[in-house]
């Protein structure tokens, strides 16, 4: 019995030593989450990680914040990182590897008020003004399928705009329209 315990001890010790020797290289395996996005209003593209090594990547988040800025006012805000989790989960669920097209990201309160006054169907207290919403589409993925995948996540609000060819996702309460 002592020999079995000793063998087990040696095996565990060897495995531990190998893990420690591998260090950060092992920790990074399969741990990064990246997205490819294109802002349709500015034409800008970004392909980078927003999550790495068990936490949100501040450099990647800053780059996405810039991409998703209010292009009318050239104003950047801190987007809710959970939005990127939602889009990443949608990408995985739909087995999608292309660029996510952004119709709308952040909107400053001033821009939101102008769009609302112009009768664009914009909510007075839009989650876009809080950095908590995206209007997206994934070329090649039927819009109804994207909508259903977003509803299945039960991760926030989901709006369906087939005439405008996009799905709204946000990190507010779970609801649909």
């Amino acid at each position: 019995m002592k020999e079995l315990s000793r063998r087990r001890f040696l095996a565990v010790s060897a495995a531990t030593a190998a893990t420690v020797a591998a260090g950060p290289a092992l920790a990074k395996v399969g741990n990064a989450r990246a997205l490819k996005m294109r802002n349709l209003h500015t034409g800008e593209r970004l392909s980078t990680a927003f999550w790495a090594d068990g936490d949100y990547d501040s450099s990647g988040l800053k780059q996405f914040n810039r991409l998703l800025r209010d292009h009318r006012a050239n104003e950047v805000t801190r987007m809710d990182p959970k939005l990127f989790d939602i889009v990443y989960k949608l990408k995985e669920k739909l087995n999608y590897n292309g660029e996510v097209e952004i119709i709308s990201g952040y909107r400053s309160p001033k821009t939101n008020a102008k769009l609302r006054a112009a009768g664009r169907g914009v909510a007075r207290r839009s989650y876009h003004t809080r950095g908590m919403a995206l209007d997206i589409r994934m070329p090649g993925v039927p819009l109804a399928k994207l909508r259903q995948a977003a509803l299945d996540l039960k991760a926030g609000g989901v709006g369906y705009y087939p005439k405008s060819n996009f799905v709204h996702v946000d990190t507010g309460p779970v609801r649909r329209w």
Side-chain angles (χ1 to χ4, degrees):
M1 191 69 158
K2 284 185 179 181
E3 187 62 33
L4 183 58
S5 295
R6 184 177 169 165
R7 280 187 198 159
R8 188 174 195 171
F9 173 78
L10 290 173
V12 169
S13 296
T16 302
T19 301
V20 169
L26 262 184
K28 292 181 183 178
V29 174
N31 201 20
R33 296 182 207 150
L35 292 169
K36 293 183 269 188
M37 291 185 171
R38 179 167 60 110
N39 184 318
L40 295 181
H41 294 284
T42 65
E44 296 167 306
R45 290 180 149 96
L46 179 60
S47 177
T48 196
F50 67 92
W51 175 276
D53 300 326
D55 201 359
Y56 291 105
D57 179 271
S58 61
S59 174
L61 291 176
K62 284 180 185 175
Q63 292 176 67
F64 280 114
N65 290 342
R66 174 87 181 135
L67 178 78
L68 301 170
R69 72 190 178 281
D70 179 339
H71 67 278
R72 293 169 183 92
N74 199 31
E75 194 174 311
V76 178
T77 196
R78 181 188 171 279
M79 300 298 289
D80 185 345
K82 292 177 186 169
L83 273 173
F84 305 116
D85 292 328
I86 290 171
V87 175
Y88 184 82
K89 288 175 186 173
L90 288 171
K91 178 185 88 98
E92 293 292 301
K93 185 174 184 70
L94 296 166
N95 197 29
Y96 182 74
N97 292 315
E99 284 182 320
V100 177
E101 294 183 343
I102 304 300
I103 289 82
S104 185
Y106 173 65
R107 289 196 301 254
S108 68
K110 185 176 179 179
T111 294
N112 199 69
K114 283 182 182 178
L115 293 173
R116 185 168 168 72
R120 301 265 183 142
V122 172
R124 181 182 314 272
R125 294 184 179 154
S126 171
Y127 280 96
H128 288 278
T129 65
R130 299 182 238 175
M132 297 171 63
L134 292 173
D135 295 339
I136 63 171
R137 64 178 168 237
M138 296 178 177
V141 175
L143 204 60
K145 189 173 181 179
L146 175 58
R147 172 188 182 251
Q148 189 57 54
L151 290 170
D152 291 347
L153 290 179
K154 294 180 173 76
V158 178
Y160 183 54
Y161 298 90
K163 289 182 182 174
S164 300
N165 193 26
F166 70 84
V167 170
H168 167 100
V169 293
D170 68 49
T171 58
V174 175
R175 63 209 189 290
R176 63 169 24 163
W177 63 94

